[in-house]
Amino acid sequence: MALEDLGGATLLLDSRLRVVRATEAAEAAVGISIPRGVSASKLLCGEAANRPIAEALARGEPVTGVIERPRRGGGSRTLIVRGSPIERGGKRVGWILSLSLDERSGTDDALREPLYFHGLWTVAPGMRRAFHVIERAALRDTTVLIRGETGTGKELAARAIHELSPRSAGPFAAINCAALPATLLESELFGHVRGAFTGAVRDQPGFFRAADGGTIFLDEVAEMPLELQAKLLRVLETRAVIPVGGREQRPVDVRIVSATHQSLRQAVEEGRFRSDLMYRLRVIPISLPPLRRRLEDVRLITQKVVEELNAQGGRQVARISPVAMAALERHPWPGNVRELRNALEYAYVIGDGPILQPGDLPVEILEPGASLDFGAAIQTNAMPPAQVDESPEVKRIRSALERAGGHRERAAQILGISRVTLWRRMRELELRPEGPREGADPIVTPFRIGSP
């Protein structure tokens, strides 16, 4: 059949993410018979609270991710899912999902065990997949682009690539392209000769020559000025640098690993980044998922940070109160792992005793915009039950609404149900929309549990 020939284990979806057709290989990969018309979100994600693949499809974005599916007889299997849109006349009319089994992680027990990888801890399948790509990318001496939000561990990932590569015995040099003005950044990257400018009293080799035989890490490369992008492109093409104020090329043997928190393609479309440089830098792209997409890692990372802080002496925390852990797992962590670490260090300084209490945490972790009265209630562990003891269904609905920005149609697609069903369940569970803020879109509103 044409569909089998095209993709093997393949699902064909309509614009509402319902299965139109499934190959036999897809049914074997998922482990069940797949009826026509079933929601792909519900089929693949089941009752999971975190649904990054469904969220990306609901937003209309191509996506590659991993999910865990149960095995017959117990255990689980990891599926790699790749979603590509089907368009006609510039309009998206459906999706093709390609499925494949990821056998790299070994046994089912290995998938559940915490994994330490060059300074990064995880139990999340998406992060494990990123580690696997890093391991493979390290073996090839080509450029790598790491995409991730602030605090996700981009420099740790770059160091892992260096340490696992044949260049591991060489130097590793890192520079933040957003931290320096253009003139100083050029000198720091390519070096300068004596007398090139006021204050240049001696020759300086620059980061590229300092990293000769090793790896140079260009963090926030999207912030590099356009004039420097042209010079970086020339370095990639000639494998040589010309110092500021100099005329002779100096050969360099370095591997370039770059990183950004934003989309380089969007930067190209906006005229802020050269397309030819983008293609040279992103030969191997690696994406590090934010902490809010892998909330199962919050408890693990918290445990590891607490162990580190205990080892430093002073206060010794034996355990974290359930209310405090609930607050940590509920927070969206815009600063990712770095923000989580900072919050725990703050708790060590502010609190006392062997139990980390809710009142030890920064107020924005407890409840954004919390009043003093609510903060006092938390200090005494009197967290309102609806904020902590929510049913799994309520948590799934709340999470989907948050990820969809309050857009109920998109949230329904993420959950794999109709908009009418979502609204009915919200009403039955007393999950009511609050009134929109002044000037806000009436559809995109925050939600809370309980009566108005």
Side-chain angles (χ1 to χ4, degrees):
M1 303 296 291
L3 191 59
E4 281 79 355
D5 294 340
L6 176 64
T10 304
L11 299 176
L12 182 63
L13 312 182
D14 62 17
S15 60
R16 297 177 63 183
L17 307 184
R18 296 173 303 189
V19 175
V20 176
R21 191 168 176 188
T23 64
E24 292 183 3
E27 293 184 333
V30 175
I32 60 172
S33 177
I34 303 175
R36 183 172 180 174
V38 68
S39 163
S41 302
K42 180 168 290 187
L43 172 71
L44 297 176
C45 301
E47 302 301 318
N50 298 320
R51 298 162 171 252
I53 296 176
E55 291 166 18
L57 296 177
R59 292 193 302 267
E61 301 174 356
V63 63
T64 298
V66 294
I67 61 171
E68 290 195 49
R69 292 284 304 170
R71 292 182 185 270
R72 293 178 180 176
S76 64
R77 68 179 76 190
T78 300
L79 284 181
I80 303 171
V81 182
R82 298 177 177 86
S84 303
I86 303 172
E87 296 184 352
R88 291 178 184 168
K91 182 179 180 181
R92 189 175 63 255
V93 297
W95 292 87
I96 289 181
L97 298 189
S98 298
L99 312 177
S100 58
L101 284 173
D102 183 4
E103 302 295 348
R104 62 174 180 79
S105 299
T107 67
D108 295 333
D109 290 339
L111 291 173
R112 290 189 290 268
E113 286 295 318
L115 176 62
Y116 179 76
F117 184 85
H118 295 265
L120 298 167
W121 281 98
T122 193
V123 292
M127 202 66 172
R128 288 175 182 270
R129 178 64 181 171
F131 294 167
H132 174 61
V133 177
I134 288 171
E135 289 176 332
R136 299 296 297 272
L139 303 178
R140 299 282 296 180
D141 196 22
T142 188
T143 58
V144 175
L145 176 66
I146 303 171
R147 173 86 180 272
E149 297 179 4
T150 298
T152 51
K154 296 189 292 293
E155 184 167 346
L156 289 174
R159 288 184 179 275
I161 291 172
H162 172 71
E163 292 168 4
L164 294 170
S165 75
R167 295 177 175 269
S168 59
F172 176 88
I175 186 169
N176 190 321
C177 299
L180 300 171
T183 52
L184 184 54
L185 179 60
E186 180 180 6
S187 173
E188 289 294 313
L189 285 174
F190 309 128
H192 64 257
V193 300
R194 180 181 178 184
F197 49 82
T198 302
V201 296
R202 64 177 65 88
D203 290 355
Q204 290 289 347
F207 273 80
F208 268 92
R209 292 172 63 194
D212 191 55
T215 304
I216 185 168
F217 174 53
L218 305 178
D219 198 8
E220 298 301 346
V221 70
E223 304 296 330
M224 182 178 288
L226 281 168
E227 60 268 25
L228 280 188
Q229 292 176 29
K231 295 182 179 181
L232 176 59
L233 180 63
R234 182 167 181 81
V235 172
L236 282 164
E237 292 173 343
T238 64
R239 295 292 176 179
V241 298
I242 301 178
V244 176
R247 295 183 178 180
E248 296 182 0
Q249 289 189 343
R250 311 288 176 86
V252 290
D253 175 25
V254 298
R255 179 185 192 171
I256 296 178
V257 177
S258 53
T260 178
H261 73 279
Q262 57 181 294
S263 168
L264 280 191
R265 288 189 181 277
Q266 183 176 346
V268 169
E269 293 172 359
E270 295 173 355
R272 297 184 289 109
F273 205 84
R274 296 177 60 109
S275 60
D276 47 3
L277 180 58
M278 178 191 72
Y279 290 120
R280 292 297 298 268
L281 291 178
R282 69 182 304 274
V283 174
I284 302 179
I286 299 174
S287 179
L288 298 180
L291 192 55
R292 66 180 177 276
R293 304 291 188 193
R294 49 187 181 98
L295 291 177
E296 60 265 52
D297 280 349
V298 171
R299 185 177 295 268
L300 170 64
I301 295 172
T302 297
Q303 174 188 343
K304 298 304 177 181
V305 172
V306 166
E307 291 174 358
E308 292 177 14
L309 295 173
N310 282 341
Q312 294 174 10
R315 182 185 181 187
Q316 297 293 299
V317 171
R319 66 183 183 90
I320 301 173
S321 80
V323 177
M325 183 57 72
L328 292 172
E329 293 181 325
R330 187 176 62 246
H331 188 65
W333 300 111
N336 294 288
V337 177
R338 184 180 294 123
E339 183 187 4
L340 174 58
R341 178 178 292 274
N342 290 345
L344 293 170
E345 291 187 359
Y346 173 93
Y348 260 70
V349 173
I350 296 300
D352 294 296
I355 302 176
L356 196 152
Q357 301 284 359
D360 299 346
L361 298 170
V363 66
E364 65 270 16
I365 305 300
L366 299 173
E367 184 70 25
S371 68
L372 291 178
D373 291 342
F374 184 62
I378 293 174
Q379 181 73 28
T380 60
N381 287 350
M383 177 76 77
Q387 296 293 328
V388 177
D389 192 22
E390 296 176 349
S391 71
E393 183 179 10
V394 168
K395 290 180 180 179
R396 285 194 299 273
I397 293 176
R398 283 173 61 88
S399 176
L401 289 168
E402 289 170 4
R403 299 289 185 263
H407 194 292
R408 290 191 291 276
E409 179 70 29
R410 191 178 301 161
Q413 289 186 347
I414 292 171
L415 292 166
I417 59 179
S418 70
R419 189 174 186 272
V420 173
T421 300
L422 172 60
W423 184 250
R424 187 180 70 249
R425 292 301 297 151
M426 287 171 58
R427 185 171 55 192
E428 293 171 351
L429 295 167
E430 296 185 346
L431 180 58
R432 303 178 185 276
E434 294 178 354
R437 298 181 299 275
E438 184 178 353
D441 184 335
I443 296 178
V444 183
T445 58
F447 288 79
R448 62 186 174 86
I449 294 289
S451 57

